Amino acid sequence: MRAKFGAKLLAVVLAAGLSAACTSSDSGDEDQPAQPGGKVELSFWSWAPNIDKTVDAWNAANPDIHVTLSKQAGGGDIVTKLLTSAKAGNPPDLAQVEYQALPTLVSNDVLADIAKDAEPAKAKFAEGVWQQVTLGTESVYAIPQDSGPMMLYYRADLFDKFGLTVPKTWDEFAQTARTVRQKDPKKYLTTFSANDPGWFTGLAQQAGAAWWGINGESWKVSVNDAATKKVADYWGALVNEGVIDGKPMYTPAWNKALNDGTLIAWPSAIWAPGVLEGNAPATKGKWAMAPMPQWAAGENKTGSWGGSSTGVTAASKNKAAAVKFATWMNTDPAATDLLIKESAIYPAARDAQASPLLQAPPAFFAQQKDFYTEAKAIADTAVGFTWGPNVNVAYDTYKDAFGKAITGKTPFSGAVDTMQSATVADMQKNGFTVTS
């Protein structure tokens, strides 16, 4: 059964060489006529807090296309519910979907190719963000909503105390880690966490990793490509050298280390200020943000950690109207301002990142007046990435393999080899044709 899904996805990809008109959505042709009175009804699943206010604004201004919101749990829960509802023949018209979940839903015929109707929205987004909703093809499976560009957060007060400069390259970052240990053996620059595959994936993206892709009529899987091994062995060497901690993030011990200054930097994403405010409140006003260190001096790239999109289901009878709503919600200034203000979303749309609502810095970074100006510039440098249909397997394997590598002090590149083997085996088991 799954082989059929894989074949369908490949069929979509093979069609990508045709013109946009030929490859794009089947939206308009299959849309059902508006109900008597000209009103279209759309159902929408989302987990974003207070997104009902954005939906209400749409409904007030668009009496002919009414959207009914159903709040859902995020992450894997909404993916499971979408798969179940699609199989039962009653999915919503639209749903909020994390970028890494798109291939799973596409290969299971849940999401529609909306390329034709979504084409005008493409210019609204950075190239790297847009790639995440295309699976590396000319098809389009969602409209980007929020993004998670990565940057470096550091304790400005402790950097000043120890005479440290903000590292601009990963070589400088490594030397800074050593200097911190020399200055105060109780402190670490940061930690490498075996429980955060999304974090590691973002680091690998920055280095040029391409874990999934299409190779002719099959999937190409390269979780253990040269870029990923470079990143893995870089961090593994620092952990084994003892200059980077190897304890996991999001634990009471991690919170304490952030609060008491044991950890003085965190390569993270745009949403980090909220995490720091909740987990390390004693450090308010002491952090600063800078671009990520680069693998080569003069480069200007970053990866992404997190983010979601709005997909239109294949079963929707009003795809064109659904794309119209999704595009408005994620690109119109009034709508994106509501997402920023009410849902605490960092918008994926370029213009929205310059919203007046993002002029003042986060309260936790009140001293860094140019926080969002800097963030917008960094967001534009996020490299593209094609997700695969079994990200969950790669991520689960990451946790176990990197945990063992840290404990056993073995090369981290061995952990990505394990991820590669598990990911390929799972895809082949489920009927996908895979090359590596």
Side-chain angles (χ1 to χ4, degrees):
M1 193 66 178
R2 190 59 176 274
K4 173 189 173 187
F5 299 138
K8 177 178 175 62
L9 176 56
L10 289 172
V12 172
V13 173
L14 290 171
L18 303 177
S19 68
C22 294
T23 58
S24 60
S25 110
D26 47 359
S27 56
D29 294 341
E30 294 184 357
D31 282 8
Q32 66 182 10
Q35 295 179 2
K39 188 173 183 179
V40 170
E41 292 285 350
L42 298 175
S43 53
F44 173 39
W45 288 6
S46 174
W47 68 82
N50 300 320
I51 200 168
D52 52 301
K53 295 182 179 179
T54 306
V55 173
D56 288 345
W58 165 269
N59 287 334
N62 296 273
D64 294 339
I65 303 176
H66 181 265
V67 178
T68 299
L69 172 69
S70 176
K71 295 297 291 291
Q72 304 288 328
D77 288 343
I78 197 170
V79 174
T80 300
K81 287 193 68 174
L82 284 167
L83 292 170
T84 302
S85 64
K87 188 175 182 179
N90 58 358
D93 294 283
L94 305 108
Q96 183 178 1
V97 179
E98 291 180 316
Y99 295 118
Q100 67 262 30
L102 289 172
T104 297
L105 296 174
V106 172
S107 60
N108 282 281
D109 296 331
V110 177
L111 294 182
D113 176 6
I114 57 172
K116 178 181 177 181
D117 294 314
E119 175 62 26
K122 180 179 179 180
K124 301 286 186 180
F125 301 93
E127 184 177 346
V129 171
W130 190 254
Q131 182 182 328
Q132 295 196 71
V133 299
T134 69
L135 307 190
T137 74
E138 292 185 10
S139 296
V140 177
Y141 296 103
I143 303 295
Q145 181 160 98
D146 60 309
S147 62
M150 295 185 72
M151 48 270 288
L152 178 66
Y153 295 88
Y154 63 97
R155 281 283 301 270
D157 59 327
L158 295 179
F159 265 55
D160 287 342
K161 176 182 178 180
F162 295 136
L164 305 174
T165 56
V166 180
K168 294 183 178 179
T169 67
W170 286 112
D171 283 343
E172 292 178 7
F173 186 89
Q175 187 53 50
T176 303
R178 298 183 183 102
T179 302
V180 169
R181 298 293 287 163
Q182 292 166 1
K183 296 279 187 179
D184 186 345
K186 294 182 179 179
K187 298 186 183 302
Y188 289 94
L189 180 59
T190 193
T191 190
F192 182 94
S193 176
N195 67 355
D196 289 277
W199 178 78
F200 178 76
T201 306
L203 295 174
Q205 288 172 22
Q206 185 204 24
W211 290 2
W212 288 275
I214 303 299
N215 183 17
E217 297 184 3
S218 64
W219 277 94
K220 179 177 174 60
V221 181
S222 307
V223 178
N224 61 346
D225 62 13
T228 306
K229 285 197 168 184
K230 177 175 70 174
V231 175
D233 281 337
Y234 168 86
W235 286 94
L238 293 176
V239 171
N240 289 334
E241 184 182 339
V243 296
I244 292 290
D245 196 13
K247 296 184 179 62
M249 301 174 191
Y250 303 122
T251 64
W254 183 71
N255 295 344
K256 181 178 183 300
L258 290 176
N259 261 307
D260 65 17
T262 298
L263 296 176
I264 67 172
W266 184 28
S268 187
I270 184 67
W271 39 261
V275 175
L276 292 171
E277 186 171 13
N279 296 20
T283 62
K284 183 177 182 178
K286 297 179 179 178
W287 293 83
M289 180 271 283
M292 287 278 277
Q294 302 293 311
W295 285 104
E299 283 188 346
N300 192 19
K301 300 177 182 177
T302 194
S304 297
W305 185 8
S308 66
S309 61
T310 309
V312 175
T313 62
S316 173
K317 297 300 183 185
N318 295 292
K319 296 185 184 68
V323 174
K324 185 176 182 180
F325 165 69
T327 301
W328 171 86
M329 180 171 61
N330 297 313
T331 63
D332 183 89
T336 53
D337 275 356
L338 280 170
L339 293 177
I340 295 167
K341 181 180 178 182
E342 303 293 347
S343 302
I345 277 175
Y346 185 72
R350 281 173 162 153
D351 289 347
Q353 292 167 357
S355 165
L357 295 177
L358 295 177
Q359 297 308 302
F364 208 69
F365 284 70
Q367 80 291 345
Q368 190 167 359
K369 304 301 182 186
D370 65 346
F371 182 95
Y372 282 116
T373 303
E374 184 81 351
K376 184 180 187 308
I378 293 171
D380 224 31
T381 69
V383 297
F385 194 73
T386 299
W387 299 97
N390 62 343
V391 175
N392 59 320
V393 172
Y395 276 16
D396 286 345
T397 306
Y398 169 92
K399 297 175 185 177
D400 181 64
F402 273 89
K404 290 178 178 176
I406 292 172
T407 302
K409 297 185 181 299
T410 57
F412 282 14
S413 55
V416 295
D417 283 337
T418 302
M419 290 174 66
Q420 168 76 6
S421 299
T423 304
V424 170
D426 177 75
M427 291 180 68
Q428 291 174 333
K429 176 184 174 183
N430 284 287
F432 293 98
T433 302
V434 180
T435 60
S436 58

